[in-house]
Amino acid sequence: GAIAYDPDVPRRPLTVYADPQSPRSEAFRQLRTNLQFIDIDNPRKVILVTSAMPSEGKTTTLINLALAISTTGSKVLVVEADLRRPRLSDLLGVERMIGLTSVLSGRIDVAQAIQAWGRSTVDILASGPLPPNPSELLASRHMKMLLERLRISYDVILIDTPPLLPVTDSAALAPSTDGAVMICRFNQTTAAQVESARAALDALSAPLLGT
């Protein structure tokens, strides 16, 4: 998929919600359609969204994709698994201090941690308190079991993760998902960075669904 640059994104990041008739919103809907047709016989329900480096538009792309998917009537869960610099909960205006890490540490059941967002069919599982060991948490058996449980309740689960090259968090989580979408920023991401990020996924047999 290709999403056009828009200088208003920092001020109005939720394009699909704020301006559903815009060309940019249509591009997110096209991305949604492309994902749906990747493998019709084996639908990809749990999708990791990442990038090679920071500041490539990963979180903004993820939430607009979630909104585009939800307009088809699908029940979507967005998981804020960037446990270092979470931004998704701030973008959506939801409470961040109860969420994924609260569930993984056993302090709360996931049903109590999930938050509904607006009038859409999008639910949010925020990051929760930031832990000292994000990679270990995301690679844990508890995380794998949590995703298996959530698969039953949702049509699509989109997971926001840190960039692949600076830290290992995304790579640790990737094997528990059905594949990854990698966000690349035109004129910023280099070919070498994309190749290195792809190699990190390949090393874990985590399919790259697209860029």
Side-chain angles (χ1 to χ4, degrees):
I3 312 296
Y5 173 76
D6 181 352
D8 281 343
V9 164
R11 188 172 57 87
R12 299 175 66 207
L14 306 181
T15 309
V16 173
Y17 183 76
D19 191 2
Q21 302 308 315
S22 67
R24 186 175 166 86
S25 293
E26 181 56 34
F28 283 116
R29 289 191 287 270
Q30 184 63 54
L31 177 59
R32 170 198 70 197
T33 303
N34 292 346
L35 273 174
Q36 289 171 338
F37 283 94
I38 282 177
D39 190 344
I40 299 242
D41 293 329
N42 298 289
R44 310 303 174 108
K45 289 188 70 169
V46 181
I47 299 171
L48 182 136
V49 180
T50 187
S51 59
M53 299 297 291
S55 303
E56 299 202 58
K58 163 179 61 65
T59 302
T60 306
T61 301
L62 179 145
I63 191 55
N64 279 287
L65 175 60
L67 291 169
I69 294 171
S70 75
T71 61
T72 66
S74 296
K75 192 165 175 55
V76 184
L77 176 67
V78 171
V79 180
E80 186 174 40
D82 187 337
L83 304 180
R84 297 176 189 268
R85 299 177 61 191
R87 287 190 61 243
L88 191 142
S89 47
D90 292 338
L91 274 179
L92 295 175
V94 300
E95 171 59 47
R96 181 166 64 81
M97 293 316 292
I98 296 175
L100 179 60
T101 57
S102 314
V103 175
L104 294 177
S105 63
R107 291 186 303 182
I108 192 171
D109 185 74
V110 67
Q112 297 172 286
I114 290 173
Q115 303 175 62
W117 188 78
R119 298 177 183 175
S120 68
T121 56
V122 176
D123 286 348
I124 314 295
L125 180 58
S127 66
L130 302 188
N133 57 339
S135 293
E136 289 80 359
L137 273 181
L138 296 175
S140 68
R141 183 173 59 88
H142 290 297
M143 183 68 192
K144 185 180 179 66
M145 291 171 62
L146 174 62
L147 290 177
E148 290 302 320
R149 177 181 168 186
L150 292 170
R151 281 176 186 270
I152 300 168
S153 304
Y154 290 92
D155 299 308
V156 179
I157 300 170
L158 298 178
I159 308 175
D160 188 31
T161 63
L164 278 159
L165 298 186
V167 292
T168 61
D169 303 15
S170 298
L173 180 56
S176 298
T177 71
D178 297 332
V181 171
M182 183 161 58
I183 309 304
C184 308
R185 189 169 177 181
F186 181 70
N187 270 348
Q188 179 165 314
T189 317
T190 68
Q193 288 168 344
V194 174
E195 288 166 3
S196 296
R198 172 69 184 263
L201 292 171
D202 286 346
L204 296 157
S205 301
L208 178 61
L209 304 179
T211 57

